Amino acid sequence: QGDSWSLAWTDPRFASGLVSVVLPHGVDAAALAGLTLDSASWATVAPIAARLRASDVVVADFNPGQNSVRLKRLAAGMPLPANIDSPGKTPAAAAEAAFNTILDFWKNKSAVDFNQRSHLTVEARFSSLSEWAALQAKLGAVPTVVGIDMVAFNLSEARLALAYAGNFEQLRGALADAGIAMTSRDGTWWLSRAEGLK
């Protein structure tokens, strides 16, 4: 939305606290110049996110004529609200409204109820035992995954029964943060390495 929209996001309040906004600059900003909200995907921004050490990317599109901001979160897990109203038509007011929405999202995302336990059967496909070991290590490092039981195993696939704290979307978000994508195919949940992550 032009320089005024980018400038609004340089407010120092957005750079510290529970959520820290990091804006792409230099060659990264130039690489994203043609990005639109509709075309944005994790694959598009993953290399830049890695350089900025960002685990999540949010694309914010301000429309002063409609007095609204459209948000798109590029990561697995809980989505952000698609549209929010801005209290004013200025880029600064819109940026503050968008930031507060992102902040509320992260507060809710991180508030896991460890007394709430659920179970889910998932499938994992891998090309080698070392890849399987790496996936197990990542799963074991997810704090909301409180139990992993092997149901079936062969040289390329495994079926696991996961016990987890919190709700399903928090599980997907925690897995995504650990570099594990969870996708549904034909009613079955599959685990794999998240696209763009090592």
Side-chain angles (χ1 to χ4, degrees), residues 28-49:
D28 288 340
L32 295 176
L35 187 74
T36 66
L37 190 90
D38 295 327
S39 68
S41 68
W42 179 252
T44 308
V45 301
I48 295 170

Side-chain angles (χ1 to χ4, degrees), residues 5-67:
W5 180 233
S6 299
L7 187 62
W9 283 98
T10 62
D11 188 315
R13 294 175 300 161
F14 303 156
S16 60
L18 178 64
V19 173
S20 296
V21 173
V22 179
L23 299 177
H25 56 277
V27 294
D28 288 340
L32 295 176
L35 187 74
T36 66
L37 190 90
D38 295 327
S39 68
S41 68
W42 179 252
T44 308
V45 301
I48 295 170
R51 281 194 293 277
L52 295 174
R53 298 185 180 202
S55 60
D56 244 1
V57 173
V58 176
V59 179
D61 181 46
F62 174 50
N63 184 329
Q66 295 181 356
N67 203 33

Side-chain angles (χ1 to χ4, degrees), residues 20 36 45 62 78-79 81-82 109 112 115 135 138 161 164 174 190 196:
S20 296
T36 66
V45 301
F62 174 50
M78 293 184 292
K109 179 189 175 195
V112 174
N115 292 318
L135 180 60
K138 287 187 176 193
Y164 61 94
W190 288 84

Side-chain angles (χ1 to χ4, degrees), residues 18 78 101-112 167 170:
L18 178 64
M78 293 184 292
T101 298
I102 295 167
L103 185 61
D104 289 343
F105 164 81
W106 278 104
K107 286 178 182 175
N108 292 332
K109 179 189 175 195
S110 60
V112 174
N167 62 44
Q170 288 172 324

